[in-house]
Amino acid sequence: MKSRKILAGPYLFWAVSFIIIPLLMILYYGLTDKNGSFTLNNLAQMTTPENLKALGLALLLSFISTVICLILAYPLAMILAEKNINQTSFIVLIFILPMWMNFLLRTLAWQTLLEKNGVINSILSFLHLPQQSIINTPAAIVLGMVYNFLPFMVLPIYNVLSKIDKDVIHAAKDLGANNVQTFLKIIMPLSIPGIISGITMVFVPSLTTFVISDLLGGSKILLIGNVIEQEFKQGSNWNAGSGLSLVLMLFIIASMALIAKYDKNGEGNTF
């Protein structure tokens, strides 16, 4: 038992230093003013028209990107699961590979593709097709979100689908169920943990992102993540930034509650 406690020491140090202490700092700054006095004004900053607009737009774009990711990821995960491809295979590695690349570089690559004189418009111009003005629009932000977070939707769903016993599907077909009925009655219900996990892993980072909207939105489209970033970096107002962050934590807590309810056994875990 003593050896186990010693081995757990580094993990405990990591959790305290990089999880618990930062959360306590955010809680402290969010509930105090610059003089250290208790206040709820930092939380109330979310109710200003500008912040509500940024939050509403962030929720909308996050919802759209999550739906698109789900539509793209579910059929892909089914194809991978039906082919009996292991997570170490080359095809799955292709979807994991973007997660290993620098997040900023991936987003900058899309900026190069979408800008007015970028690669896509150059190709369209060469083909004598009308150029598209996508950069610095909400569509560009959604595209960046989908590209960056799609693997986080594919892998949990694939992980769940690959664990479904094939005999259950065969039994349903032997009892007269067609492909649609088998999907609706067997495959879909059993894949709910992966779907919930994937939705959470896409929606929460999409809601809180600020790099994608900065680069692909040209700093013209403010999401709630951008507002918080500006409070910390430009306004040096840690109290207001922490207060807004505490409000966003409500969405994280809600997502954790969803996972706890629909994925009690951790079947939708990516790894």
Side-chain angles (χ1 to χ4, degrees):
M1 291 296 295
K2 291 183 178 180
S3 61
R4 291 183 179 179
K5 291 181 179 179
I6 293 175
L7 291 175
Y11 299 100
L12 180 61
F13 174 79
W14 175 272
V16 172
S17 301
F18 299 101
I19 299 177
I20 297 177
I21 292 179
L23 286 176
L24 290 177
M25 290 180 63
I26 293 175
L27 184 64
Y28 170 77
Y29 281 108
L31 297 178
T32 58
D33 57 20
K34 294 183 178 181
N35 297 321
S37 303
F38 175 80
T39 181
L40 296 177
N41 290 335
N42 298 319
L43 302 178
Q45 290 291 324
M46 186 63 79
T47 61
T48 63
E50 296 81 7
N51 292 342
L52 284 177
K53 181 180 178 181
L55 177 61
L57 183 58
L59 287 170
L60 176 62
L61 298 185
S62 301
F63 175 77
I64 293 174
S65 62
T66 302
V67 171
I68 294 175
C69 283
L70 180 59
I71 294 173
L72 295 175
Y74 201 97
L76 178 59
M78 288 189 64
I79 293 173
L80 294 177
E82 289 176 359
K83 296 296 182 180
N84 294 320
I85 301 175
N86 295 324
Q87 288 190 352
T88 55
S89 68
F90 177 73
I91 296 180
V92 177
L93 181 64
I94 293 175
F95 296 98
I96 300 178
L97 189 60
M99 300 168 59
W100 296 346
M101 297 170 59
N102 184 275
F103 183 87
L104 182 61
L105 292 179
R106 298 200 306 264
T107 309
L108 283 172
W110 274 106
Q111 186 182 42
T112 303
L113 290 171
L114 297 176
E115 61 187 6
K116 185 177 180 180
N117 298 319
V119 176
I120 294 178
N121 278 332
S122 297
I123 295 175
L124 292 176
S125 179
F126 176 78
L127 297 174
H128 302 288
L129 296 174
Q131 295 187 355
Q132 302 296 318
S133 180
I134 303 176
I135 196 69
N136 300 338
T137 64
I141 297 175
V142 170
L143 184 58
M145 289 179 178
V146 171
Y147 173 76
N148 281 292
F149 302 129
L150 181 61
F152 295 100
M153 182 71 78
V154 174
L155 295 179
I157 298 176
Y158 164 72
N159 192 37
V160 171
L161 292 176
S162 63
K163 294 179 181 178
I164 297 178
D165 192 346
K166 304 300 182 183
D167 292 337
V168 177
I169 298 176
H170 295 157
K173 293 183 176 180
D174 290 340
L175 293 174
N178 55 35
N179 291 333
V180 176
Q181 291 173 327
T182 302
F183 174 76
L184 295 177
K185 299 291 185 179
I186 304 297
I187 299 176
M188 177 65 78
L190 292 177
S191 63
I192 291 297
I195 294 175
I196 297 299
S197 179
I199 289 175
T200 301
M201 295 176 68
V202 172
F203 182 80
V204 172
S206 297
L207 177 64
T208 57
T209 186
F210 59 90
V211 174
I212 296 176
S213 51
D214 264 345
L215 297 178
L216 300 183
S219 300
K220 298 177 181 179
I221 302 174
L222 287 182
L223 305 184
I224 191 61
N226 301 106
V227 175
I228 295 175
E229 180 202 18
Q230 290 177 359
E231 292 290 354
F232 278 101
K233 296 178 65 175
Q234 298 180 13
S236 298
N237 192 343
W238 286 35
N239 302 94
S242 298
L244 296 176
S245 299
L246 287 176
V247 176
L248 283 187
M249 284 185 185
L250 296 177
F251 294 96
I252 300 176
I253 295 173
S255 66
M256 293 174 62
L258 282 175
I259 294 179
K261 181 177 180 180
Y262 293 101
D263 191 14
K264 298 180 180 179
N265 299 322
E267 297 178 358
N269 290 340
T270 305
F271 303 103

